[in-house]
C-alpha cells in the first residue's frame, strides 16, 4: 500500500460512535449491501458518497448523487473535495470525522481493541468452546454448576427455555435474546424470547447466521455488524440495526436442535471470546436437557398412541364375527392379520334372515392405519342392513357403494367381494367390486377365478354391478383373500402373486381349512423371507364337503 490509510470516526444517528480504518484506495458509504461501509441510517442513500485517494497520498470525498447531498464542514459537496484531518463529513444524519491518515495506535488492553472488518466475526466449533469453558473457573464454573443443578429438576420445556434466558441475561447482559428450535420439518421456529424494557421491533433472525450456527454447529461472535464487510450482503442483519451479537448452537449428541442468539442494537455491547465460550457451554447443557424432554414427550405420546391403537384394535376385532355360522355340509374359516396395529381389511360371514342363505363379504379399504380402519368399520355397518334383509350381492354393492361415497373423502373407497350361498343347491352368487379374483378350486383339481364384475365401492356415487352364479359341487373349495397376500414381496421386489397362491391351495385343498390357511401364511412368509408385510392379510375360505359315500 503506497498511500496512507484513512482513519474515520463514524457517529450514527442511533448507537454509539465507532472507528473505521480504510486501507484500500476507495471507500463507498451507503445503506446498500453493495457499499463498502454500510450504515444504518434511514435517510442515507443506497450509495451515498465515496472517499478515494489520488496521487498516492491525497484523500477526497465526493457525493454520488445522493438524495440528501453530502456536506463537508457544512458546505455541499458538488464535486470531489480535498480532505484534511479534523474535517467533518455529514451524510444525512450520520457524521464522519476525519481523524487522520495513518493507522490507529494500539489501544491499551483494558479497552476493547478496534478490529478490522476481516476480524469482526469469529466462528468457533462448539467442541472447541466447550473444552475452553471447562478450563474456566470461578464465576463461569459456578454458573454452569448452577444451571446443571437447575436442569436436573423436573421442568417443562417452556420453563427450561426461560431459565436459559434468565442466566444468559444475568451474565451476558444483552438487549434481546431469542431461542430457535427446529420444528418437525427441520425449519427453525421461535421458541422463547426476551428483551430489555423499552426495546421494540421484531426479534432478530438471520438466515446467514442460522447457516453458520444452527446448520454447521459453530458458535458466532459479531463485534460490530455495521462496519463488518462480511455482512455487506446480509440485509437482515443490517436492516435490523443489530450492532453486536453472540450466538451458539444447541447441540445434542445425536442432533442439532437449534440455536440461541443474544444481540444489542442501540448500545454496542462488545462481547468477548470468553462470552462466546460461556454461551456455548450454557447452550450445550441446555441442549442435553431439551433433548431429554423431547424424548420423554415423544415416548409419552407414543405410549398414548399405542394405548389408543390397542383399544381401536380390540374394537375392530370385536366387530369381526366371533363365531362363524355352522352350515351343514360346508366348512368355513376366516382370519385377519393386520400389518399395523389396526387393519383396513375386514370380513363378514353370516346367515341372511331374508333368504336363509349364507352371506360372505371380504373387503379391503384404500390406505392403511387408523383412517382405513375407521372406513372399514363404517363399511361393515353399512352392509348389515342389506344383508339381513336379503338383498342379492349386486344390489348390496350398489347401495353400500352409494352411501360410502357420500360419507367418505374421494380417496377413500373399498374393494370387496360379496357372495351369497344357497346351501341346499350349492349355488354361490357373487359380485366382485374391484377386488382380487377369488379362487374356486374344483374337486378334480381344476381352478376357476371369480373375476371383477364392477367398480370398487364408494369410488363413484352411482355404479352398476353384475352378479354371477357358480355351483359348488361336493369337494369344491372357494378362497377369498386380500392383496396383502398376493402382493407380499421378496427382497428383490417380486410379488408372491396369484399363481403361487393357487398352487399352494391346490396342493392343500383336501386338508382341514385351518391347515390350509397355515400353509398359505407359511408360503407367503417363506417367500417374503420374513420381511415385514406392507399390507393387511385376510382370508375367507369355504368348502363344500365331499359326500361320505364318495370318499
Amino acid at each position: 500500500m503506497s498511500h496512507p490509510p484513512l482513519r474515520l470516526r463514524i457517529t450514527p444517528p442511533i448507537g454509539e460512535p465507532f472507528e473505521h480504518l480504510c486501507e484500500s484506495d476507495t471507500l463507498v458509504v451507503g445503506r446498500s449491501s453493495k457499499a463498502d461501509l454500510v450504515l444504518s441510517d434511514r435517510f442515507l442513500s443506497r450509495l451515498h458518497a465515496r472517499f478515494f485517494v489520488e496521487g498516492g497520498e491525497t484523500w477526497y470525498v465526493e457525493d454520488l448523487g445522493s438524495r440528501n447531498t453530502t456536506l463537508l464542514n457544512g458546505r455541499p459537496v458538488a464535486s470531489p473535495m480535498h480532505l484534511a484531518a479534523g474535517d467533518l463529513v455529514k451524510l444525512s444524519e450520520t457524521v464522519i470525522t476525519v481523524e487522520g491518515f495513518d493507522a490507529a495506535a494500539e489501544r491499551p488492553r483494558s479497552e476493547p481493541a478496534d478490529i478490522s472488518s476481516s476480524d469482526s466475526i469469529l466462528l468457533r466449533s462448539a467442541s472447541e468452546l466447550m473444552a475452553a469453558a471447562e478450563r474456566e473457573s470461578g464465576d463461569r464454573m459456578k454458573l454452569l454448576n448452577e444451571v446443571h443443578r437447575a436442569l436436573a429438576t423436573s421442568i417443562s420445556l417452556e420453563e427450561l427455555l426461560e431459565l436459559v434466558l434468565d442466566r444468559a441475561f444475568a451474565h451476558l447482559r444483552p438487549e434481546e435474546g431469542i431461542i430457535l428450535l427446529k420444528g418437525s420439518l427441520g425449519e427453525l421456529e421461535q421458541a422463547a424470547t426476551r428483551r430489555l424494557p423499552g426495546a421494540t421491533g421484531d426479534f432478530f433472525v438471520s438466515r446467514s447466521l442460522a447457516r453458520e450456527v444452527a446448520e454447521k454447529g459453530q458458535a458466532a461472535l459479531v463485534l460490530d455488524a455495521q462496519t463488518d464487510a462480511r455482512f455487506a450482503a446480509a440485509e437482515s442483519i443490517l436492516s435490523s440495526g443489530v450492532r453486536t451479537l453472540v450466538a451458539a448452537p444447541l447441540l445434542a449428541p445425536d442432533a442439532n436442535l437449534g440455536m440461541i442468539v443474544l444481540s444489542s442494537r442501540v448500545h454496542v455491547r462488545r462481547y468477548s471470546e470468553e462470552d462466546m465460550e460461556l454461551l456455548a457451554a450454557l447452550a450445550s447443557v441446555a441442549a442435553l436437557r431439551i433433548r431429554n424432554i423431547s424424548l420423554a414427550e415423544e415416548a409419552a405420546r407414543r405410549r398414548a398412541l399405542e394405548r389408543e391403537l390397542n383399544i381401536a384394535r380390540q374394537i375392530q376385532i370385536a366387530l369381526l364375527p366371533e363365531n362363524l355360522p355352522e352350515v351343514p355340509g360346508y366348512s368355513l374359516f376366516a382370519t385377519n392379520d393386520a400389518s399395523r396395529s389396526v387393519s383396513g381389511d375386514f370380513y363378514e360371514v353370516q346367515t341372511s334372515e331374508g333368504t336363509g342363505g349364507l352371506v360372505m363379504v371380504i373387503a379391503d379399504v384404500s390406505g392403511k392405519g387408523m383412517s382405513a380402519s375407521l372406513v372399514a368399520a363404517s363399511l361393515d355397518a353399512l352392509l348389515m342392513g342389506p344383508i339381513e334383509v336379503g338383498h342379492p350381492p349386486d344390489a348390496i354393492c350398489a347401495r353400500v357403494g352409494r352411501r360410502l361415497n357420500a360419507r367418505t373423502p374421494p380417496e377413500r373407497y373399498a374393494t370387496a367381494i360379496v357372495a351369497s350361498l344357497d346351501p341346499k343347491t350349492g349355488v354361490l352368487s357373487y359380485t366382485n367390486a374391484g377386488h382380487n379374483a377369488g379362487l374356486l378350486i374344483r374337486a378334480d383339481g381344476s381352478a376357476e377365478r371369480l373375476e371383477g364384475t364392477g367398480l370398487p365401492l364408494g369410488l363413484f356415487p352411482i355404479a352398476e354391478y353384475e352378479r354371477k352364479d357358480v355351483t359348488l359341487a361336493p369337494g369344491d373349495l372357494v378362497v377369498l383373500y386380500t392383496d396383502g397376500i398376493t402382493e407380499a414381496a421378496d427382497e428383490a421386489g417380486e410379488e408372491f402373486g396369484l399363481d403361487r397362491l393357487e398352487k399352494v391351495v391346490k396342493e392343500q385343498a383336501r386338508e382341514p381349512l385351518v391347515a390350509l390357511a397355515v400353509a398359505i401364511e407359511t408360503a407367503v412368509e417363506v417367500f417374503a423371507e420374513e420381511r415385514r408385510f406392507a399390507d393387511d392379510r385376510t382370508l375367507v375360505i369355504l368348502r363344500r364337503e365331499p359326500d361320505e359315500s364318495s370318499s
Side-chain angles (χ1 to χ4, degrees):
M1 180 183 64
S2 60
H3 60 81
L6 175 64
R7 185 158 42 89
L8 304 174
R9 181 173 180 80
I10 293 93
T11 304
I14 298 178
E16 296 185 5
F18 59 93
E19 291 189 359
H20 181 81
L21 186 67
C22 177
E23 295 181 316
S24 63
D25 56 6
T26 183
L27 175 73
V28 175
V29 182
R31 62 180 177 84
S32 168
S33 61
K34 296 180 180 179
D36 301 316
L37 177 58
V38 181
L39 300 177
S40 181
D41 184 335
R42 57 179 178 166
F43 296 114
L44 205 65
S45 295
R46 295 180 62 82
L47 299 177
H48 196 107
R50 181 172 74 105
F51 295 82
F52 64 95
V53 66
E54 278 192 357
E57 59 184 22
T58 304
W59 280 91
Y60 292 82
V61 62
E62 68 174 342
D63 185 82
L64 297 178
S66 66
R67 177 178 301 178
N68 295 316
T69 196
T70 300
L71 301 178
L72 174 60
N73 299 323
R75 296 169 54 196
V77 178
S79 59
M81 299 179 69
H82 175 266
L83 291 174
D87 282 347
L88 296 178
V89 179
K90 193 168 188 299
L91 312 178
S92 183
E93 296 183 350
T94 300
V95 177
I96 299 178
T97 304
V98 180
E99 291 196 334
F101 303 96
D102 55 354
E106 184 178 354
R107 293 173 180 263
R109 295 183 63 85
S110 59
E111 298 182 21
D114 183 34
I115 57 177
S116 68
S117 62
S118 62
D119 294 325
S120 296
I121 178 171
L122 300 176
L123 297 173
R124 297 288 186 270
S125 70
S127 59
E128 292 174 344
L129 293 172
M130 277 298 297
E134 290 174 355
R135 294 193 294 268
E136 292 291 326
S137 59
D139 291 341
R140 294 180 183 275
M141 288 305 300
K142 181 179 179 181
L143 167 64
L144 295 179
N145 289 333
E146 176 186 352
V147 173
H148 269 293
R149 289 194 301 272
L151 297 186
T153 61
S154 178
I155 189 172
S156 69
L157 178 61
E158 292 75 14
E159 293 170 332
L160 167 64
L161 300 182
E162 288 299 321
L163 174 62
V164 171
L165 288 176
D166 278 341
R167 299 304 184 265
F169 269 69
H171 290 268
L172 296 174
R173 304 185 305 283
E175 289 184 21
E176 67 178 40
I178 182 170
I179 297 177
L180 301 166
L181 298 180
K182 288 185 177 180
S184 57
L185 299 178
E187 295 293 325
L188 289 175
E189 299 174 358
Q190 180 176 302
T193 59
R194 182 170 301 183
R195 62 183 6 152
L196 295 180
T200 59
D202 296 332
F203 281 90
F204 168 70
V205 179
S206 164
R207 290 183 180 178
S208 57
L209 185 68
R211 282 194 299 270
E212 297 296 334
V213 179
E215 295 180 14
K216 298 181 182 179
Q218 298 186 109
L221 170 62
V222 178
L223 298 178
D224 195 338
Q226 302 299 323
T227 62
D228 188 352
R230 292 174 184 241
F231 289 100
E235 292 283 0
S236 61
I237 296 179
L238 299 172
S239 62
S240 70
V242 167
R243 295 293 298 273
T244 181
L245 63 85
V246 61
L250 294 164
L251 288 177
D254 58 345
N256 192 339
L257 308 179
M259 67 178 185
I260 177 172
V261 183
L262 308 178
S263 60
S264 294
R265 300 172 188 258
V266 178
H267 304 291
V268 180
R269 161 73 167 92
R270 288 186 180 272
Y271 294 106
S272 64
E273 290 194 61
E274 288 76 15
D275 293 329
M276 183 166 59
E277 293 169 2
L278 178 61
L279 183 63
L282 177 62
S284 180
V285 173
L288 291 174
R289 183 61 176 170
I290 291 171
R291 186 59 171 162
N292 289 341
I293 291 175
S294 176
L295 292 174
E297 291 178 347
E298 183 180 343
R301 287 193 297 270
R302 188 182 299 111
R303 288 193 297 271
L305 178 61
E306 288 175 352
R307 286 194 296 270
E308 294 295 327
L309 290 175
N310 287 335
I311 294 173
R313 182 57 177 166
Q314 291 171 13
I315 294 173
Q316 190 174 41
I317 291 174
L319 294 175
L320 297 174
E322 184 175 358
N323 295 300
L324 298 180
E326 292 186 4
V327 182
Y330 294 85
S331 296
L332 283 164
F333 180 84
T335 182
N336 167 256
D337 290 318
S339 62
R340 303 186 181 188
S341 298
V342 290
S343 173
D345 289 0
F346 85 94
Y347 66 87
E348 183 63 62
V349 181
Q350 68 175 63
T351 55
S352 170
E353 295 180 2
T355 64
L358 179 74
V359 178
M360 301 185 301
V361 179
I362 189 169
D364 182 1
V365 174
S366 62
K368 298 178 179 63
M370 182 68 78
S371 60
S373 71
L374 292 174
V375 176
S378 176
L379 180 59
D380 188 24
L382 291 175
L383 284 162
M384 289 302 98
I387 289 176
E388 290 179 355
V389 171
H391 288 314
D394 54 336
I396 292 175
C397 289
R399 179 175 178 177
V400 171
R402 182 173 63 253
R403 293 187 174 183
L404 186 66
N405 177 269
R407 295 186 179 189
T408 58
E411 66 274 11
R412 292 299 182 194
Y413 56 88
T415 66
I417 293 180
V418 180
S420 63
L421 172 71
D422 182 344
K424 295 179 180 179
T425 63
V427 174
L428 182 75
S429 300
Y430 72 92
T431 295
N432 185 330
H435 198 76
N436 302 83
L439 282 176
L440 170 56
I441 306 300
R442 298 293 186 179
D444 62 6
S446 62
E448 300 175 21
R449 296 183 178 182
L450 312 182
E451 302 285 357
T453 62
L455 296 171
L457 303 178
L459 196 59
F460 295 102
I462 299 177
E464 295 184 357
Y465 294 91
E466 180 184 359
R467 182 178 75 245
K468 290 188 175 182
D469 296 337
V470 293
T471 301
L472 302 185
D476 288 352
L477 180 74
V478 175
V479 177
L480 308 181
Y481 57 93
T482 57
D483 58 11
I485 293 176
T486 52
E487 293 181 3
D490 62 12
E491 189 173 353
E494 183 180 356
E495 295 182 350
F496 184 72
L498 182 54
D499 290 340
R500 289 188 177 89
L501 175 61
E502 182 180 310
K503 182 175 183 293
V504 174
V505 174
K506 284 182 176 180
E507 291 173 351
Q508 305 293 327
R510 296 182 179 275
E511 298 296 324
L513 297 189
V514 63
L516 171 59
V518 170
I520 293 172
E521 184 70 13
T522 300
V524 173
E525 289 179 351
V526 170
F527 177 81
E529 299 175 347
E530 299 184 354
R531 296 173 71 240
R532 179 181 177 182
F533 292 105
D535 204 354
D536 309 324
R537 302 174 311 286
T538 302
L539 277 172
V540 176
I541 307 175
L542 168 70
R543 179 165 57 201
R544 185 171 186 178
E545 295 299 340
D547 293 335
E548 293 184 3
S549 58
S550 63
S551 57

